[in-house]
């Protein structure tokens, strides 16, 4: 399938690069972090403990989750959460929610279906090249200095903590997938990065 996998920690530039690359390559764009964020929003809204694997796995299977155009519009069970999923409450709980194996299994199933329905996509996340689409046409790992990543996320207080949790969890941790093109985006412009990826396609 025509998939470009883009992984990396928060603030590495994944969304900006994925959006631009998708537009230039004529592909759809899926922001899988927005899926985990929307589920986390629903968990908090329902008053479920982020550590409750069973309740959250059930919720992940039952929720109606819709994403348009990257994460330009995100709804869960008909509620528009596009803005709310970027708030500090969701950011603080999303690593715990997304660490549950049952949740990951369900999200991966949905991600593969979403991409299959569109015949391919630029897909960004943490485990896209390693787990979701190990056979992707192109695998990219974006990174940047911690200082720059925190600056891009407007000082998100626990970005480093979130990265640590995402990289050390047992189920499909953030990792550089075999065969990835690794790019440090600290001092690069978006077009420069996208030019490099377009020529690698
Ligand atoms: O990309 P983001 O910062 O919006 O992602 C939010 C969280 O979702 C991230 O801290 C971990 C989780 N996530 C994941 O576990 N697997 C993915 N493929 C994408 C995101």
């Amino acid at each position: 399938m025509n998939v470009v996998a883009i992984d990396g920690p928060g603030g590495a530039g994944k969304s900006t690069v994925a959006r631009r690359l998708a537009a230039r390559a004529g592909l759809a764009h899926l922001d899988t972090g927005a899926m985990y964020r929307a589920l986390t929003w629903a968990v908090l809204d329902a008053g479920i403990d982020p550590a409750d694997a069973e309740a959250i796995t059930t919720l992940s299977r039952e929720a109606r989750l819709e994403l348009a155009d990257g994460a330009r519009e995100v709804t869960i069970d008909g509620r528009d959460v596009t803005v709310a999923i970027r708030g500090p409450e969701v950011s603080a709980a999303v690593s715990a929610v997304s660490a549950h194996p049952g949740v990951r299994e369900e999200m991966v199933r949905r991600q593969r279906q979403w991409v299959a329905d569109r015949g391919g996509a630029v897909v960004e996340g943490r485990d896209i090249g390693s787990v979701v689409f190990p056979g992707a046409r192109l695998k990219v790992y974006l990174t940047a200095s911690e200082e720059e990543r925190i600056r891009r996320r407007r000082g998100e207080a626990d970005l480093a903590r979130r990265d640590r949790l995402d990289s050390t969890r047992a189920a499909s941790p953030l990792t550089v997938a075999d065969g990835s093109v690794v790019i440090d985006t600290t001092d690069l412009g978006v077009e420069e990065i996208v030019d490099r990826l377009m020529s690698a396609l």
Side-chain angles (χ1 to χ4, degrees):
M1 211 169 345
N2 200 7
V3 173
V4 178
I6 304 187
D7 292 302
K14 297 187 299 293
S15 292
T16 310
V17 168
R19 189 180 314 121
R20 192 72 194 112
L21 181 65
R24 281 184 56 185
L27 288 167
H29 167 206
L30 178 62
D31 176 351
T32 64
M35 298 173 70
Y36 290 99
R37 285 175 178 274
L39 178 64
T40 301
W41 181 90
V43 164
L44 299 176
D45 184 62
I48 298 170
D49 180 348
D52 189 340
E54 199 179 315
I56 299 174
T57 300
T58 301
L59 183 64
S60 75
R61 292 183 184 142
E62 291 175 352
R64 199 156 37 82
L65 183 54
E66 281 159 327
L67 282 96
D69 209 4
R72 204 198 295 272
E73 206 178 294
V74 183
T75 67
I76 188 156
D77 291 328
R79 295 173 72 177
D80 187 332
V81 294
T82 312
V83 175
I85 61 171
R86 304 296 166 191
E89 297 84 3
V90 169
S91 293
V94 68
S95 291
V97 168
S98 55
H100 301 304
V103 168
R104 305 206 65 82
E105 194 180 314
E106 174 60 18
M107 290 295 140
V108 168
R109 189 190 65 75
R110 289 176 186 245
Q111 289 155 16
R112 289 182 177 145
Q113 186 64 53
W114 193 97
V115 172
D117 289 345
R118 289 157 182 82
V122 177
V123 187
E124 57 166 299
R126 301 290 187 288
D127 59 342
I128 309 307
S130 56
V131 173
V132 189
F133 292 107
R137 177 172 164 198
L138 177 64
K139 296 184 196 182
V140 184
Y141 187 90
L142 298 182
T143 185
S145 71
E146 188 170 296
E147 188 187 6
E148 173 66 8
R149 293 189 298 102
I150 290 172
R151 190 190 66 74
R152 290 175 185 169
R153 287 294 170 96
R154 294 179 214 294
E156 180 184 326
D158 61 353
L159 184 64
R161 173 183 154 273
R162 193 151 67 83
D163 287 341
R164 202 166 48 248
L165 292 171
D166 296 342
S167 305
T168 55
R169 69 184 176 215
S172 45
L174 169 65
T175 180
V176 183
D178 285 345
S180 297
V181 175
V182 179
I183 302 178
D184 184 330
T185 68
T186 308
D187 298 312
L188 295 177
V190 181
E191 288 308 315
E192 202 176 333
I193 299 165
V194 175
D195 283 346
R196 266 165 78 174
L197 298 180
M198 284 298 287
S199 54
L201 261 182

